[in-house]
Amino acid sequence: MESSVPANNSQLKEPTQNERGFKILYWIWVLMLFLPERLISFYIPPLQFLRSLPTILLALALVVWFTSNTEKYKYKWFALFLVSLLISSLLAENTGRARVVLRLVLEYYILALITFSFISNKYRTDKLMFLFMLQFLYLGIWGIIGGGLVKWDYILNEEDAYGPLMGIGVAYCYYYFSVQKKSMAKTLALIALCTCIVGVVISFARGAFLVLVATLIYLLVKSGNFVKGILFIGIACVIIIVATSIIFPDNAFWKEMQTSAEGTSSGTGRDRKVLWSIAWEEYKDNIIIGVGPLNFGVAAAHYLNRVKDTGNYRPDTIWGRALHNAYFQILCELGTFGIIIFIMILYDFFKTNKATIRYTPTSCDSELDNLTLKQTKHLVTGIKVAMIAFLLNAFFYDIIYYSWFWILLILNRMLYINIFQEKLFFNPSP
């Protein structure tokens, strides 16, 4: 299919149709990615009410979306996951903790539906993908300032959250940078990429560093240009070595990373073995719908006596304990129903990602359109590798209910819809 898009930049300007919905949606994404309400309320506690702003704007956008004549889309597996959360929440021991997760995932589902409708051309897609890249630079800098913590955020104020996020950023920023022309966006992407690498190092999180190494190897293998790939890996290694020598004197960083070889015989490896064993016992007794979202630690006290090696845990100390594995978390908290839907979500993600790349036109008539094609394929690939980095980190950290997973799902399907509805190339300014 040939492109009918003229090489006129005026066609890439902001369209007027559904402009109100897009503007509201854009600011929702700004709040979701950059979290200014959390920053402000942390330093000015009387302004805690600002934390409700994203939800209020999302409700407003939902009204605009529902009353507009824009095309509506479905996301079946996302919706079914919400159903599994709802059922499991109703029967959870601590329904308050479960409702927190249910509300957050519901908001991301609503955000997905609105995004699919209002991000409908190249101009809007570019703005959103740029925001997604920029958040890694923004949060990365805050984390470096905080010594591996974003102190004003209730999630990123620990290394085991900040480190994995930076690893995801390395994957996406690499592809975003590689396809940009010489521009401010390319410069910012390069800075973001370097910041994310330093961010993983300063987090001092062993799992996140192992995932970073795996990601760098993957990028080298898939680079398509071995010389450029080797050059990038070399630069990344220099950044890591310099950062570790400055931030962690006396070889402290590498000594900590070496403890990853301990396995499950001692240290945190043994601790996680205990937690995962408890999760398995919970699953066996709640095989269909699990113990409820965020209820692993709540229910753990009832199953501690079934585990032979309980370490230092007692029923009164394990309540609310993090599981440090997203897959065991879904298994024990949402049961067989939840884990099957989760697997189908991942299958759908990679299937649509592959289809988006496959059905993106190979060439167009103009140089501008060909650049758009190349950018799109790189962004779609960047989303895929970012998801792979997330899934690897999920083996070490219970991060499944954080926003990162759901945002990657939304961006991936958004690009898929735009390609298959011929919006990104053939109808850029509806």
Side-chain angles (χ1 to χ4, degrees):
M1 184 181 298
E2 294 183 357
S3 171
S4 60
V5 182
N8 189 341
N9 288 333
S10 64
Q11 288 207 16
L12 301 181
K13 292 182 180 180
E14 173 65 30
T16 57
Q17 187 177 1
N18 297 321
E19 182 178 350
R20 181 186 305 170
F22 169 70
K23 285 183 177 180
I24 298 173
L25 176 65
Y26 178 80
W27 287 109
I28 291 171
W29 274 103
V30 170
L31 294 177
M32 291 286 190
L33 294 173
F34 296 90
L35 314 170
E37 74 285 357
R38 298 185 192 178
L39 172 63
I40 295 171
S41 61
F42 178 83
Y43 289 106
I44 311 176
L47 298 181
Q48 289 284 332
F49 66 89
L50 290 177
R51 296 199 172 199
S52 300
L53 187 58
T55 302
I56 294 172
L57 279 180
L58 187 63
L60 177 60
L62 181 61
V63 172
V64 174
W65 172 80
F66 188 76
T67 57
S68 70
N69 60 358
T70 186
E71 190 170 359
K72 310 296 192 297
Y73 298 92
K74 300 177 182 178
Y75 198 164
K76 178 179 67 175
W77 293 113
F78 201 145
L80 285 175
F81 192 84
L82 264 176
V83 172
S84 72
L85 281 174
L86 175 61
I87 296 173
S88 186
S89 297
L90 292 174
L91 300 177
E93 182 174 341
N94 189 316
T95 56
R97 290 171 66 89
R99 285 198 302 271
V100 170
V101 173
L102 181 63
R103 179 182 65 82
L104 288 174
V105 178
L106 175 60
E107 288 185 358
Y108 285 113
Y109 178 69
I110 294 172
L111 178 65
L113 298 184
I114 299 172
T115 299
F116 299 158
S117 294
F118 289 137
I119 305 294
S120 55
N121 57 70
K122 184 182 184 301
Y123 172 84
R124 296 177 180 182
T125 300
D126 286 349
K127 292 195 73 171
L128 181 53
M129 303 308 285
F130 174 75
L131 280 182
F132 186 57
M133 178 278 297
L134 199 60
Q135 66 140 349
F136 293 110
L137 174 59
Y138 170 75
L139 295 175
I141 291 174
W142 272 109
I144 292 173
I145 293 172
L149 307 172
V150 180
K151 295 181 179 179
W152 47 264
D153 182 62
Y154 67 89
I155 291 175
L156 296 173
N157 63 354
E158 61 170 306
E159 296 89 344
D160 288 350
Y162 175 72
L165 178 62
M166 292 295 97
I168 296 169
V170 169
Y172 178 75
C173 292
Y174 171 83
Y175 282 97
Y176 190 94
F177 163 77
S178 63
V179 78
Q180 296 298 315
K181 295 192 299 181
K182 293 181 179 180
S183 63
M184 181 61 71
K186 189 177 186 71
T187 301
L188 290 173
L190 177 60
I191 298 172
L193 177 58
C194 297
T195 300
C196 287
I197 295 174
V198 175
V200 173
V201 171
I202 201 172
S203 73
F204 210 52
R206 291 174 299 174
F209 183 74
L210 291 176
V211 173
L212 172 63
V213 173
T215 302
L216 293 176
I217 294 173
Y218 182 91
L219 294 176
L220 173 61
V221 173
K222 296 292 185 178
S223 65
N225 187 319
F226 190 74
V227 175
K228 288 185 177 180
I230 288 292
L231 179 62
F232 168 69
I233 296 298
I235 294 173
C237 289
V238 170
I239 293 173
I240 292 172
I241 293 171
V242 172
T244 55
S245 62
I246 294 175
I247 301 170
F248 302 103
D250 301 325
N251 215 26
F253 179 84
W254 299 110
K255 290 178 181 177
E256 177 67 15
M257 295 304 113
Q258 287 174 2
T259 61
S260 302
E262 293 176 353
T264 59
S265 59
S266 61
T268 56
R270 179 191 177 194
D271 180 67
R272 293 182 181 187
K273 181 182 178 182
V274 174
L275 297 172
W276 299 348
S277 298
I278 296 172
W280 180 248
E281 296 299 326
E282 290 182 359
Y283 169 70
K284 289 194 298 184
D285 274 14
N286 304 272
I287 194 168
I288 298 177
I289 60 171
V291 298
L294 283 186
N295 269 247
F296 160 75
V298 176
H302 308 314
Y303 297 91
L304 189 61
N305 61 346
R306 294 191 188 182
V307 178
K308 294 180 180 180
D309 180 11
T310 59
N312 297 321
Y313 289 116
R314 304 188 310 272
D316 61 326
T317 61
I318 201 170
W319 194 97
R321 185 72 169 83
L323 185 50
H324 291 288
N325 185 292
Y327 308 110
F328 273 111
Q329 185 175 20
I330 296 173
L331 188 68
C332 72
E333 293 187 350
L334 301 181
T336 304
F337 184 43
I339 198 69
I340 290 176
I341 296 174
F342 176 72
I343 292 172
M344 292 308 301
I345 286 176
L346 292 180
Y347 172 76
D348 178 75
F349 173 92
F350 288 106
K351 178 182 178 181
T352 54
N353 187 278
K354 182 178 180 180
T356 305
I357 296 175
R358 178 182 299 173
Y359 289 101
T360 299
T362 55
S363 63
C364 290
D365 296 334
S366 70
E367 182 180 351
L368 175 63
D369 295 337
N370 282 317
L371 177 62
T372 299
L373 297 177
K374 185 178 180 181
Q375 287 175 337
T376 301
K377 289 187 176 183
H378 272 66
L379 291 177
V380 174
T381 304
I383 293 295
K384 178 185 70 175
V385 181
M387 177 61 82
I388 292 173
F390 174 89
L391 295 174
L392 291 175
N393 275 296
F395 183 79
F396 302 102
Y397 309 107
D398 46 337
I399 56 178
I400 191 60
Y401 300 136
Y402 295 167
S403 64
W404 320 330
F405 178 70
W406 311 103
I407 287 174
L408 290 172
L409 291 181
I410 294 171
L411 296 179
N412 182 68
R413 180 159 284 267
M414 176 197 73
L415 292 168
Y416 170 78
I417 290 173
N418 281 340
I419 292 295
F420 276 79
Q421 296 296 322
E422 299 185 350
K423 293 178 178 178
L424 207 55
F425 305 111
F426 310 108
N427 189 22
S429 51

